[in-house]
Amino acid sequence: MKGNVLFLKAQCSKSEQELLRALRAIKEADSRPTDVEATLKRIGIHPEASSPFVQLIKNALDSRGEFELLGPKSPCVSRDELDLLATLNYFMKHDDTSLPAGDCLTRMSTYMLRLFRDCGSTLRDTGIALRARPAPFMRHRH
């Protein structure tokens, strides 16, 4: 794990821990695809709504080779995972018309924006609670 060690239980609520387990399971999906569906289903995301999450994680791992997604049973959480939760929380709480102008968002592809919107919408529908954290693209604004 890069940087400081952050412990999952200290940084994330129980529902966030479950969501992270599901997202981390996507990384291992080639060998155990049923684990992903079962984990997502436990938090209220049914198989027909799981595709944006799968694509989001695969794109994050492919496009930014340095994106750190830990193993499903890791007791730690990476800064990248916390940023991912913050971004999902942002898109869960804001609709398409309220996106701020920011460097990160202007560099993000339309496809990735759509995936974040779709994931945010699904999370909003499940009623999952995510902690308030500054979204990575909002941190350096004055």
Side-chain angles (χ1 to χ4, degrees):
M1 188 168 150
K2 301 181 286 188
N4 299 330
V5 174
L6 301 170
F7 291 101
L8 186 64
K9 288 184 179 183
Q11 297 294 320
C12 300
S13 67
K14 288 188 184 282
S15 58
E16 288 175 323
Q17 291 174 43
E18 283 294 314
L19 177 58
L20 273 178
R21 273 192 275 287
L23 297 177
R24 289 170 173 182
I26 292 168
K27 182 179 173 182
E28 313 286 325
D30 292 335
S31 57
R32 296 183 301 268
T34 54
D35 288 353
V36 174
E37 287 182 7
T39 307
L40 286 171
K41 200 169 192 178
R42 256 195 321 272
I43 60 173
I45 300 170
H46 298 285
E48 61 274 5
S50 66
S51 179
F53 292 94
V54 171
Q55 292 307 312
L56 181 69
I57 294 303
K58 287 184 176 186
N59 278 297
L61 292 169
D62 289 345
S63 66
R64 280 189 63 207
E66 73 273 3
F67 182 80
E68 188 169 27
L69 189 63
L70 304 179
K73 296 184 190 267
S74 176
C76 299
V77 62
S78 73
R79 296 231 182 251
D80 288 339
E81 290 171 327
L82 290 174
D83 284 348
L84 178 61
L85 289 175
T87 304
L88 287 170
N89 186 39
Y90 179 86
F91 282 94
M92 186 173 81
K93 292 183 176 178
H94 296 87
D95 62 20
D96 293 350
T97 60
S98 65
L99 294 176
D103 291 342
C104 183
L105 287 178
T106 56
R107 288 187 313 230
M108 194 181 294
S109 72
T110 304
Y111 179 66
M112 287 298 285
L113 279 171
R114 191 181 85 231
L115 289 175
F116 274 115
R117 286 181 183 129
D118 291 349
C119 291
S121 175
T122 299
L123 290 172
R124 186 173 39 255
D125 292 345
T126 66
I128 193 169
L130 299 179
R131 286 185 180 173
R133 296 179 176 90
F137 51 85
M138 301 289 282
R139 280 191 197 126
H140 302 293
R141 294 178 67 199
H142 297 288

